[in-house]
Amino acid sequence: MSPALHRSALFVVALLAAATSCSSDRSVTEPDLGLPTSGVETRAVAASSVDTFTFVAGRSGTAEVAICGVVGTNLDLSGAHRSSASAGNCEKIRFPVAQGAIYHAVIRAPTAGGTYNICWSIGESCTVTAPPLDDSGAPPGYYQPVQGLTGAAFFAALNDLIDDQRVLGYTFARDSLYANVDDPDNDDVIIDIYVGRAAAGVNSRATALTANLNTEHSWPQSRGATEDPAMSDLNILFSSDETANGQRLNYPFGEVQGNVLWISPAVTGSDEQSRLGYSGTGTSGQLVFEPRDSKKGDIARAILYFYVRYQPDPTPSFSLANFNVERPILVKWAQNDPPDAFERARNNLIFRAQGNRNPFIDRPDFAPLVVP
Protein backbone atom coordinates (compact mmCIF):
# COMPACT_ATOMS: atom_id res chain seq x y z
CA MET A 1 0.00 0.00 0.00
CA SER A 2 1.28 3.43 -0.91
CA PRO A 3 1.98 5.93 1.86
CA ALA A 4 -0.91 8.10 0.63
CA LEU A 5 -3.43 5.24 0.70
CA HIS A 6 -2.14 4.18 4.08
CA ARG A 7 -2.66 7.70 5.46
CA SER A 8 -6.23 7.75 3.96
CA ALA A 9 -7.10 4.41 5.56
CA LEU A 10 -5.86 5.59 8.93
CA PHE A 11 -7.94 8.75 8.57
CA VAL A 12 -11.11 6.75 7.89
CA VAL A 13 -10.44 4.47 10.88
CA ALA A 14 -9.91 7.53 13.06
CA LEU A 15 -13.21 9.04 11.88
CA LEU A 16 -15.09 5.82 12.62
CA ALA A 17 -13.52 5.59 16.06
CA ALA A 18 -14.44 9.19 16.82
CA ALA A 19 -18.02 8.62 15.66
CA THR A 20 -18.32 5.50 17.82
CA SER A 21 -16.90 7.36 20.78
CA CYS A 22 -19.33 10.27 20.32
CA SER A 23 -22.28 7.89 19.91
CA SER A 24 -21.31 6.05 23.08
CA ASP A 25 -20.99 9.32 24.98
CA ARG A 26 -24.49 10.38 23.91
CA SER A 27 -26.29 7.09 24.74
CA VAL A 28 -28.32 7.14 27.97
CA THR A 29 -29.45 4.04 29.82
CA GLU A 30 -32.97 4.44 31.23
CA PRO A 31 -33.18 4.18 35.00
CA ASP A 32 -35.21 1.41 36.61
CA LEU A 33 -38.30 3.23 37.89
CA GLY A 34 -39.73 0.12 39.48
CA LEU A 35 -42.77 0.35 37.20
CA PRO A 36 -44.30 -2.67 35.47
CA THR A 37 -43.83 -3.19 31.75
CA SER A 38 -46.81 -5.54 31.30
CA GLY A 39 -50.04 -6.55 32.94
CA VAL A 40 -53.35 -8.41 32.61
CA GLU A 41 -56.77 -7.49 34.06
CA THR A 42 -60.42 -8.50 33.83
CA ARG A 43 -62.83 -5.58 33.53
CA ALA A 44 -66.35 -4.83 32.33
CA VAL A 45 -68.00 -2.23 30.11
CA ALA A 46 -71.73 -1.67 29.67
CA ALA A 47 -73.42 -1.48 26.30
CA SER A 48 -73.20 1.98 24.70
CA SER A 49 -70.63 2.93 27.35
CA VAL A 50 -66.89 3.53 27.69
CA ASP A 51 -64.27 2.09 30.04
CA THR A 52 -60.79 3.65 30.35
CA PHE A 53 -57.74 1.57 31.23
CA THR A 54 -54.66 3.52 32.38
CA PHE A 55 -51.03 2.43 32.73
CA VAL A 56 -47.65 4.10 33.30
CA ALA A 57 -44.88 2.98 30.95
CA GLY A 58 -42.10 1.25 32.89
CA ARG A 59 -39.72 1.83 29.99
CA SER A 60 -39.66 3.32 26.52
CA GLY A 61 -40.52 1.26 23.48
CA THR A 62 -43.56 -0.01 21.62
CA ALA A 63 -46.57 -0.94 23.70
CA GLU A 64 -49.14 -3.50 22.65
CA VAL A 65 -52.63 -3.48 24.16
CA ALA A 66 -55.09 -6.30 23.48
CA ILE A 67 -58.65 -6.91 24.66
CA CYS A 68 -61.09 -9.77 24.28
CA GLY A 69 -64.66 -9.77 25.53
CA VAL A 70 -67.13 -12.59 26.09
CA VAL A 71 -68.59 -14.09 22.95
CA GLY A 72 -71.40 -11.91 21.65
CA THR A 73 -69.92 -8.58 22.75
CA ASN A 74 -68.81 -5.85 20.36
CA LEU A 75 -65.79 -3.94 21.65
CA ASP A 76 -63.67 -1.19 20.09
CA LEU A 77 -60.19 -0.22 21.32
CA SER A 78 -58.30 3.04 20.94
CA GLY A 79 -55.35 4.85 22.51
CA ALA A 80 -52.45 7.16 21.63
CA HIS A 81 -54.04 8.02 18.26
CA ARG A 82 -54.36 4.34 17.33
CA SER A 83 -57.64 2.45 17.05
CA SER A 84 -59.11 -0.92 16.23
CA ALA A 85 -62.84 -1.12 15.64
CA SER A 86 -63.94 -4.34 14.00
CA ALA A 87 -67.34 -5.89 14.61
CA GLY A 88 -65.83 -8.57 16.85
CA ASN A 89 -65.14 -9.06 20.55
CA CYS A 90 -61.31 -8.98 20.35
CA GLU A 91 -59.09 -6.02 19.33
CA LYS A 92 -55.40 -5.05 19.45
CA ILE A 93 -53.38 -1.84 18.98
CA ARG A 94 -49.66 -0.88 19.14
CA PHE A 95 -48.10 2.53 19.81
CA PRO A 96 -44.81 4.06 20.98
CA VAL A 97 -44.42 4.93 24.67
CA ALA A 98 -41.91 6.91 26.72
CA GLN A 99 -40.74 5.77 30.12
CA GLY A 100 -42.70 7.28 33.00
CA ALA A 101 -45.47 8.66 30.78
CA ILE A 102 -49.16 7.90 31.41
CA TYR A 103 -51.23 6.25 28.69
CA HIS A 104 -54.93 5.55 28.35
CA ALA A 105 -56.63 2.77 26.45
CA VAL A 106 -60.30 3.46 25.78
CA ILE A 107 -62.66 0.50 25.41
CA ARG A 108 -66.04 1.18 23.85
CA ALA A 109 -69.04 -1.11 23.60
CA PRO A 110 -71.08 0.44 20.75
CA THR A 111 -73.78 -2.24 20.91
CA ALA A 112 -73.15 -5.22 23.20
CA GLY A 113 -70.98 -4.88 26.31
CA GLY A 114 -69.88 -7.23 29.05
CA THR A 115 -66.79 -8.62 30.76
CA TYR A 116 -63.49 -8.45 28.89
CA ASN A 117 -59.85 -9.34 29.50
CA ILE A 118 -57.14 -6.78 28.73
CA CYS A 119 -53.36 -7.15 28.52
CA TRP A 120 -50.56 -4.70 27.79
CA SER A 121 -46.86 -5.14 27.25
CA ILE A 122 -43.90 -2.97 26.22
CA GLY A 123 -41.46 -4.50 23.76
CA GLU A 124 -43.33 -7.80 23.52
CA SER A 125 -46.67 -8.97 22.18
CA CYS A 126 -49.53 -9.93 24.50
CA THR A 127 -52.61 -12.05 23.94
CA VAL A 128 -55.80 -12.54 25.94
CA THR A 129 -58.72 -14.90 25.46
CA ALA A 130 -62.42 -14.27 25.99
CA PRO A 131 -63.85 -14.77 29.48
CA PRO A 132 -66.04 -17.89 29.76
CA LEU A 133 -69.72 -17.60 28.87
CA ASP A 134 -71.04 -19.57 31.82
CA ASP A 135 -69.59 -19.98 35.30
CA SER A 136 -69.56 -23.35 37.02
CA GLY A 137 -72.96 -24.56 38.12
CA ALA A 138 -75.03 -23.04 35.35
CA PRO A 139 -76.31 -25.58 32.83
CA PRO A 140 -74.56 -25.40 29.44
CA GLY A 141 -76.11 -22.67 27.33
CA TYR A 142 -78.22 -21.33 30.20
CA TYR A 143 -77.34 -17.72 29.35
CA GLN A 144 -77.18 -18.10 25.59
CA PRO A 145 -80.59 -16.40 25.07
CA VAL A 146 -79.20 -13.09 26.38
CA GLN A 147 -75.86 -13.09 24.53
CA GLY A 148 -75.38 -10.08 22.28
CA LEU A 149 -78.47 -8.28 23.57
CA THR A 150 -78.37 -4.80 25.07
CA GLY A 151 -80.60 -2.34 26.86
CA ALA A 152 -84.28 -3.21 27.22
CA ALA A 153 -83.93 -6.37 25.12
CA PHE A 154 -81.20 -7.69 27.43
CA PHE A 155 -83.22 -6.82 30.54
CA ALA A 156 -86.34 -8.54 29.20
CA ALA A 157 -84.47 -11.67 28.11
CA LEU A 158 -82.71 -11.94 31.48
CA ASN A 159 -86.05 -11.58 33.24
CA ASP A 160 -87.44 -14.40 31.08
CA LEU A 161 -84.66 -16.68 32.30
CA ILE A 162 -85.40 -16.24 36.00
CA ASP A 163 -89.07 -15.29 36.33
CA ASP A 164 -90.66 -18.72 36.57
CA GLN A 165 -89.27 -20.21 39.76
CA ARG A 166 -91.05 -22.70 41.97
CA VAL A 167 -92.87 -20.89 44.79
CA LEU A 168 -91.79 -22.60 48.01
CA GLY A 169 -93.84 -20.66 50.52
CA TYR A 170 -92.20 -18.76 53.37
CA THR A 171 -92.20 -21.63 55.89
CA PHE A 172 -90.53 -24.14 53.58
CA ALA A 173 -88.15 -21.47 52.21
CA ARG A 174 -86.84 -20.72 55.71
CA ASP A 175 -86.36 -24.40 56.48
CA SER A 176 -84.45 -24.76 53.22
CA LEU A 177 -82.38 -21.68 54.03
CA TYR A 178 -81.18 -23.01 57.40
CA ALA A 179 -80.90 -26.69 56.47
CA ASN A 180 -79.26 -26.37 53.05
CA VAL A 181 -78.81 -23.02 51.31
CA ASP A 182 -76.74 -21.25 53.99
CA ASP A 183 -74.99 -24.50 54.96
CA PRO A 184 -73.48 -25.93 51.75
CA ASP A 185 -70.99 -28.10 53.66
CA ASN A 186 -73.82 -29.55 55.81
CA ASP A 187 -72.06 -29.10 59.15
CA ASP A 188 -75.05 -27.38 60.84
CA VAL A 189 -72.99 -24.21 61.34
CA ILE A 190 -74.53 -21.02 59.95
CA ILE A 191 -72.52 -17.80 59.62
CA ASP A 192 -74.86 -14.83 59.58
CA ILE A 193 -74.48 -12.25 56.85
CA TYR A 194 -74.14 -9.03 58.87
CA VAL A 195 -72.09 -9.89 61.96
CA GLY A 196 -70.16 -12.93 60.76
CA ARG A 197 -71.15 -14.84 63.87
CA ALA A 198 -70.97 -18.64 63.57
CA ALA A 199 -74.03 -20.34 65.06
CA ALA A 200 -73.68 -24.09 65.64
CA GLY A 201 -76.43 -26.71 65.60
CA VAL A 202 -78.67 -24.84 63.18
CA ASN A 203 -80.67 -26.79 60.59
CA SER A 204 -84.27 -25.60 60.96
CA ARG A 205 -86.44 -22.61 61.89
CA ALA A 206 -86.59 -23.83 65.48
CA THR A 207 -82.82 -24.20 65.91
CA ALA A 208 -82.26 -20.88 64.16
CA LEU A 209 -84.58 -19.19 66.64
CA THR A 210 -82.63 -20.73 69.52
CA ALA A 211 -79.40 -19.39 67.99
CA ASN A 212 -80.90 -15.87 67.68
CA LEU A 213 -80.98 -15.96 63.89
CA ASN A 214 -83.61 -14.35 61.71
CA THR A 215 -84.43 -14.53 58.01
CA GLU A 216 -83.32 -11.30 56.36
CA HIS A 217 -85.01 -9.99 53.23
CA SER A 218 -82.22 -8.05 51.53
CA TRP A 219 -84.97 -6.36 49.50
CA PRO A 220 -87.27 -5.44 52.41
CA GLN A 221 -90.74 -6.91 52.66
CA SER A 222 -92.17 -3.39 52.90
CA ARG A 223 -90.52 -2.50 49.57
CA GLY A 224 -91.96 -5.38 47.58
CA ALA A 225 -91.27 -8.72 49.28
CA THR A 226 -94.43 -8.97 51.38
CA GLU A 227 -96.18 -11.25 48.90
CA ASP A 228 -95.14 -14.49 47.24
CA PRO A 229 -93.25 -15.37 45.14
CA ALA A 230 -90.96 -12.54 46.34
CA MET A 231 -91.48 -13.18 50.04
CA SER A 232 -90.08 -16.71 49.85
CA ASP A 233 -87.53 -16.15 47.07
CA LEU A 234 -84.31 -17.73 48.38
CA ASN A 235 -82.19 -15.53 46.12
CA ILE A 236 -82.85 -12.55 48.41
CA LEU A 237 -83.06 -14.35 51.78
CA PHE A 238 -80.10 -14.57 54.16
CA SER A 239 -79.54 -15.86 57.69
CA SER A 240 -79.01 -12.84 59.91
CA ASP A 241 -78.12 -12.15 63.52
CA GLU A 242 -81.35 -11.12 65.23
CA THR A 243 -80.00 -7.85 66.64
CA ALA A 244 -78.33 -6.85 63.37
CA ASN A 245 -81.52 -7.63 61.49
CA GLY A 246 -83.42 -5.36 63.86
CA GLN A 247 -80.95 -2.54 63.25
CA ARG A 248 -81.16 -2.83 59.48
CA LEU A 249 -85.00 -2.77 59.47
CA ASN A 250 -85.94 -1.54 55.99
CA TYR A 251 -83.20 1.06 55.55
CA PRO A 252 -81.50 1.11 52.16
CA PHE A 253 -77.97 -0.20 51.82
CA GLY A 254 -75.25 2.39 51.41
CA GLU A 255 -71.90 3.66 52.63
CA VAL A 256 -71.80 5.37 56.04
CA GLN A 257 -69.82 8.63 55.82
CA GLY A 258 -71.28 10.56 58.75
CA ASN A 259 -72.48 9.76 62.26
CA VAL A 260 -72.62 6.06 63.14
CA LEU A 261 -75.72 5.01 65.10
CA TRP A 262 -74.88 1.33 65.47
CA ILE A 263 -71.95 -0.98 64.73
CA SER A 264 -72.01 -4.76 64.84
CA PRO A 265 -70.05 -6.49 67.60
CA ALA A 266 -66.52 -7.57 66.80
CA VAL A 267 -65.96 -11.22 65.88
CA THR A 268 -62.73 -13.01 66.77
CA GLY A 269 -60.46 -13.36 63.75
CA SER A 270 -62.22 -10.67 61.70
CA ASP A 271 -61.87 -6.91 61.43
CA GLU A 272 -65.15 -6.51 59.52
CA GLN A 273 -68.23 -4.87 61.00
CA SER A 274 -71.57 -3.71 59.67
CA ARG A 275 -72.80 -0.21 60.45
CA LEU A 276 -75.93 1.90 60.51
CA GLY A 277 -75.45 5.62 59.98
CA TYR A 278 -75.70 8.60 57.69
CA SER A 279 -74.43 8.76 54.13
CA GLY A 280 -73.44 12.43 54.45
CA THR A 281 -71.45 14.50 56.93
CA GLY A 282 -72.70 14.30 60.50
CA THR A 283 -76.43 13.62 60.33
CA SER A 284 -76.88 14.77 56.74
CA GLY A 285 -77.77 12.58 53.83
CA GLN A 286 -79.64 9.30 53.93
CA LEU A 287 -79.78 6.90 56.87
CA VAL A 288 -78.24 3.73 55.41
CA PHE A 289 -77.10 0.27 56.48
CA GLU A 290 -73.58 -0.73 55.39
CA PRO A 291 -72.87 -4.50 55.54
CA ARG A 292 -69.40 -5.86 56.26
CA ASP A 293 -67.04 -5.70 53.27
CA SER A 294 -66.93 -9.40 52.40
CA LYS A 295 -70.72 -9.50 52.01
CA LYS A 296 -71.28 -6.28 50.09
CA GLY A 297 -71.05 -8.10 46.78
CA ASP A 298 -73.49 -10.78 47.96
CA ILE A 299 -75.98 -8.09 48.92
CA ALA A 300 -75.50 -6.14 45.68
CA ARG A 301 -76.09 -9.24 43.55
CA ALA A 302 -79.24 -10.10 45.52
CA ILE A 303 -80.61 -6.58 44.99
CA LEU A 304 -79.81 -6.68 41.27
CA TYR A 305 -81.52 -10.07 41.02
CA PHE A 306 -84.69 -8.79 42.68
CA TYR A 307 -84.77 -5.72 40.44
CA VAL A 308 -84.52 -7.77 37.24
CA ARG A 309 -86.88 -10.48 38.49
CA TYR A 310 -89.70 -8.31 39.85
CA GLN A 311 -89.53 -4.88 38.25
CA PRO A 312 -91.30 -6.12 35.08
CA ASP A 313 -93.78 -8.22 37.14
CA PRO A 314 -94.10 -6.21 40.36
CA THR A 315 -95.77 -7.45 43.52
CA PRO A 316 -98.51 -5.19 44.94
CA SER A 317 -96.05 -3.72 47.48
CA PHE A 318 -93.20 -3.24 44.98
CA SER A 319 -91.27 0.02 45.43
CA LEU A 320 -87.99 1.41 44.10
CA ALA A 321 -87.54 3.70 47.13
CA ASN A 322 -84.54 1.75 48.44
CA PHE A 323 -83.18 0.75 45.05
CA ASN A 324 -82.94 4.36 43.92
CA VAL A 325 -80.64 5.05 46.89
CA GLU A 326 -78.63 1.85 46.43
CA ARG A 327 -78.23 2.00 42.67
CA PRO A 328 -74.98 4.08 42.54
CA ILE A 329 -73.01 1.60 44.67
CA LEU A 330 -74.31 -1.76 43.46
CA VAL A 331 -71.86 -2.34 40.62
CA LYS A 332 -68.93 -1.11 42.72
CA TRP A 333 -69.80 -3.49 45.54
CA ALA A 334 -70.34 -6.36 43.12
CA GLN A 335 -66.94 -5.79 41.48
CA ASN A 336 -64.99 -5.15 44.70
CA ASP A 337 -66.40 -8.30 46.31
CA PRO A 338 -66.73 -10.86 43.47
CA PRO A 339 -68.57 -14.17 43.95
CA ASP A 340 -66.68 -16.70 46.06
CA ALA A 341 -67.00 -20.48 46.33
CA PHE A 342 -69.60 -20.23 49.12
CA GLU A 343 -71.83 -17.91 47.09
CA ARG A 344 -71.57 -20.08 43.98
CA ALA A 345 -72.43 -23.20 46.00
CA ARG A 346 -75.36 -21.33 47.52
CA ASN A 347 -76.58 -20.37 44.06
CA ASN A 348 -76.49 -24.01 42.96
CA LEU A 349 -78.52 -25.09 46.01
CA ILE A 350 -81.13 -22.41 45.34
CA PHE A 351 -81.31 -23.56 41.71
CA ARG A 352 -81.99 -27.10 42.93
CA ALA A 353 -84.67 -25.89 45.37
CA GLN A 354 -86.63 -23.38 43.31
CA GLY A 355 -85.41 -23.81 39.73
CA ASN A 356 -83.89 -20.41 38.97
CA ARG A 357 -80.52 -18.80 39.53
CA ASN A 358 -79.04 -15.43 40.42
CA PRO A 359 -77.40 -14.55 37.08
CA PHE A 360 -75.10 -11.97 38.67
CA ILE A 361 -73.31 -14.75 40.57
CA ASP A 362 -72.77 -16.84 37.44
CA ARG A 363 -72.04 -13.86 35.23
CA PRO A 364 -70.58 -10.89 37.15
CA ASP A 365 -70.26 -9.03 33.83
CA PHE A 366 -74.04 -8.62 33.76
CA ALA A 367 -74.05 -6.10 36.64
CA PRO A 368 -72.88 -3.04 34.64
CA LEU A 369 -75.25 -4.02 31.83
CA VAL A 370 -78.26 -3.73 34.11
CA VAL A 371 -77.05 -0.71 36.10
CA PRO A 372 -74.73 1.30 33.78
Side-chain angles (χ1 to χ4, degrees):
M1 180 182 293
S2 68
L5 289 176
H6 182 69
R7 286 193 298 270
S8 296
L10 290 176
F11 179 69
V12 171
V13 171
L15 285 177
L16 290 173
T20 302
S21 175
C22 290
S23 175
S24 176
D25 290 341
R26 287 197 303 267
S27 65
V28 178
T29 301
E30 288 185 326
D32 183 358
L33 301 181
L35 297 171
T37 58
S38 64
V40 180
E41 285 190 24
T42 299
R43 301 167 68 94
V45 59
S48 303
S49 297
V50 172
D51 184 37
T52 301
F53 174 77
T54 301
F55 69 92
V56 181
R59 62 186 175 90
S60 301
T62 299
E64 182 167 284
V65 179
I67 61 170
C68 201
V70 293
V71 175
T73 59
N74 177 18
L75 303 181
D76 296 338
L77 175 64
S78 62
H81 306 294
R82 305 289 197 278
S83 64
S84 178
S86 69
N89 59 316
C90 299
E91 308 286 349
K92 181 179 289 188
I93 58 174
R94 305 179 82 224
F95 51 87
V97 296
Q99 187 184 49
I102 300 173
Y103 295 91
H104 306 284
V106 178
I107 298 87
R108 292 181 173 83
T111 54
T115 297
Y116 68 92
N117 291 326
I118 182 169
C119 70
W120 65 278
S121 181
I122 301 173
E124 297 180 1
S125 62
C126 73
T127 302
V128 285
T129 57
L133 279 175
D134 294 342
D135 204 340
S136 60
Y142 187 81
Y143 293 106
Q144 192 58 41
V146 305
Q147 287 306 130
L149 299 180
T150 61
F154 172 81
F155 193 97
L158 195 58
N159 170 265
D160 286 341
L161 280 180
I162 62 176
D163 71 347
D164 193 25
Q165 82 264 30
R166 289 188 290 274
V167 181
L168 303 176
Y170 194 41
T171 296
F172 187 81
R174 284 179 291 166
D175 280 335
S176 180
L177 181 73
Y178 299 127
N180 298 303
V181 171
D182 276 352
D183 186 20
D185 58 3
N186 201 32
D187 63 355
D188 290 349
V189 175
I190 299 291
I191 299 177
D192 88 286
I193 191 162
Y194 292 144
V195 178
R197 173 174 64 88
V202 177
N203 52 29
S204 65
R205 282 173 293 125
T207 52
L209 181 64
T210 301
N212 295 317
L213 291 178
N214 280 347
T215 301
E216 163 71 325
H217 288 76
S218 53
W219 190 292
Q221 294 187 61
S222 62
R223 300 289 189 255
T226 300
E227 307 88 6
D228 271 329
M231 185 178 186
S232 59
D233 193 328
L234 287 166
N235 284 295
I236 66 149
L237 301 183
F238 296 94
S239 301
S240 171
D241 176 82
E242 186 177 64
T243 300
N245 194 13
Q247 291 293 329
R248 192 262 163 144
L249 293 175
N250 66 351
Y251 294 118
F253 293 107
E255 296 181 344
V256 177
Q257 306 292 337
N259 287 6
V260 177
L261 303 185
W262 176 85
I263 189 166
S264 64
V267 173
T268 302
S270 173
D271 59 358
E272 295 185 330
Q273 291 176 286
S274 298
R275 301 185 297 169
L276 175 69
Y278 291 92
S279 61
T281 303
T283 57
S284 65
Q286 176 80 40
L287 192 57
V288 295
F289 189 90
E290 181 174 359
R292 55 197 179 102
D293 288 345
S294 64
K295 292 300 177 181
K296 285 178 177 175
D298 305 51
I299 293 293
R301 284 180 282 275
I303 299 300
L304 289 168
Y305 163 86
F306 193 96
Y307 177 61
V308 173
R309 168 64 183 86
Y310 295 102
Q311 191 273 340
D313 309 295
T315 60
S317 61
F318 184 83
S319 167
L320 292 176
N322 276 23
F323 183 80
N324 290 335
V325 176
E326 297 159 345
R327 186 183 186 112
I329 49 91
L330 293 176
V331 172
K332 182 180 77 170
W333 281 9
Q335 291 177 339
N336 289 349
D337 173 33
D340 56 18
F342 173 83
E343 196 176 359
R344 289 192 292 270
R346 191 179 189 275
N347 198 25
N348 292 333
L349 289 169
I350 292 173
F351 182 55
R352 190 171 70 186
Q354 66 180 42
N356 74 342
R357 308 180 65 82
N358 184 334
F360 303 100
I361 297 173
D362 293 328
R363 293 290 302 275
D365 55 300
F366 285 172
L369 305 184
V370 170
V371 183

